[in-house]
Amino acid sequence: MKKLMAANWKMYKTVAEGVATATELAKLLADRLPADREVLVCPSFTMLSAVAPILTGVEGCFAGAQNFYPAGQGAFTGEIAPEQLLDLGCAYALAGHSERRHVLGEEDGLIGKKVAFGLDAGLKMILCVGETIDERRAGQVEAVLARQLEMGLAGVLEKATAANLAVAYEPVWAIGTGEVAGPAEILAAHAFVREKLVALLPSEGAAVRILYGGSVKPDNAGTIIRLDNVDGVLVGGASLKADSFSQIVLA
Ligand code: 13P
């Protein structure tokens, strides 16, 4: 499987700014993307229709959504359905990002529904998992990851494959803090996620991509991407500028 180099633009940028960044990124990556890498950008919903065609114009680049509501259509004021994302050119979506868990109060049950509904609708899903600093200090890293993986994947044990599912390990204490997890912490967490994936998805778990996220920057991406069981990165702050994200993609 190709390494998945993913950008999460979170709640940043106007449409014009998103178009400008995507245009610059497309120029920086066209004809330079190594055969073993693919690129994903997840902008705000507001600019998906403008940004997706720019990205998908480059071989190996995709657009994705940061969130959706797990229903086909209906009376869900303010929400967006997977079908509406596919209609805009999205190939991927995130579920369970730590900001949705901790700021918006999303729980494992809802996140599991999103993973299952998204896969059924035809989106490739990235399930985000990760512990808080208090959970790490209390020695609960593996227990937290196990629960988030079991509940997040409960509805897809029969249908998740290495092609339609990825997991992003994003320790909450490393997100947006500049405090990147060290190689030993990343290796241990990714090895545990791998073990759990193989147990939950016996035929596919060994090949499901595991991304690392949390203060990935151009100067640490090369080391992180070469660690065992690291099959990609999910980048917040350093993905907002095309130059910095392209350096990470090519690291
Ligand atoms: P930062 O790269 O800004 O730490 O954010 C990581 C993240 O949350 C990606 O989803």
Side-chain angles (χ1 to χ4, degrees), residues 5-6 37 171 173-186 212-227 230 232-239 244-245 247-251:
M5 314 303 280
R37 305 245 164 141
W173 47 273
I175 295 178
T177 59
E179 190 183 342
V180 64
E185 290 159 325
I186 298 176
Y212 169 79
S215 297
V216 175
K217 309 281 178 221
D219 64 1
N220 61 27
T223 305
I224 292 171
I225 198 69
R226 286 172 183 80
L227 294 173
V230 175
V233 288
L234 181 53
V235 188
S239 75
S244 135
F245 185 55
Q247 287 179 49
I248 292 172
V249 169
L250 302 172

